[in-house]
Amino acid sequence: MAVYGYHRTSTKEQHLDRGIIEIQNFCREHHLELIDIFTDQMTGKKFDRPEYQFLKKRICLGDMLIITELDRLGRNKLGILKELRYFQEKGVRVMVLELPTTLIDLSKFSNELARMMIETINNMMIELYVSMADAEMKKKEKRQREGYETKHMRGEWDEIGRPAVMGWELFYQYFEKVVAGEITPTELRRELNMTHSTFYRYRNMYYKKYVKKFQSED
């Protein structure tokens, strides 16, 4: 059995250290030999992150994956559940440090009914935590939009300096839908209520930031 860790932050401004230390401390306390910790500093809405994909190729039947929180795995509810099913079908045990029931080794239960009950509770807790993380992200985006709209209505731009229409990271998450072909640029611009010039300024920043990604796809 090999033990791996995974940790993700949305931006490079956020530090990976806390999550890495938590995983290392847990393994040390429980006498687990940690092989490696894979990390990404990218949005959690999509799962095509380089280190995460490398982890999925490397991890095998009987291995263990440790993450600190479910939203470190991803930010999309259906996506997280799909990834957890992937590991389950591959025979990989996923341990989430914020969910105590995932830390219980079900293989040590001799009572089949007890094992089924713990597994059922575990699945319910995962569903609950994933839903909470998904709802929190949507609430955060809503508050951010409302905050900008309120400042605009109050005419506070001149007093505090006109800020960006929205955070770059938030725009990048929305623009991923255009890259994935789920929506057209015009449809997204209207959905975000952006002017033509502002939208394409943000879009150009996106392409500039991810220029290597698009060059590799050519």
Side-chain angles (χ1 to χ4, degrees), residues 5-9 15-16 19-20 23 37-40 68 72:
Y6 179 76
H7 191 60
R8 177 197 63 81
T9 60
H15 297 293
L16 291 162
I20 292 173
I23 294 172
I37 299 179
F38 296 85
T39 62
D40 285 301
T68 58
R72 296 306 95 200

Side-chain angles (χ1 to χ4, degrees), residues 63-67 84 87-88 92-96 102:
D63 288 348
M64 182 184 297
L65 173 62
I66 302 174
I67 57 177
L84 291 175
F87 288 118
Q88 184 180 37
V92 173
R93 181 184 174 193
V94 179
M95 301 176 72
V96 187
T102 66

Side-chain angles (χ1 to χ4, degrees), residues 4-6 38 51-59 65:
Y4 297 98
Y6 179 76
F38 296 85
E51 287 295 299
Y52 180 67
Q53 289 301 317
F54 184 70
L55 164 67
K56 288 178 68 175
K57 292 177 182 177
R58 185 170 176 180
I59 205 163
L65 173 62

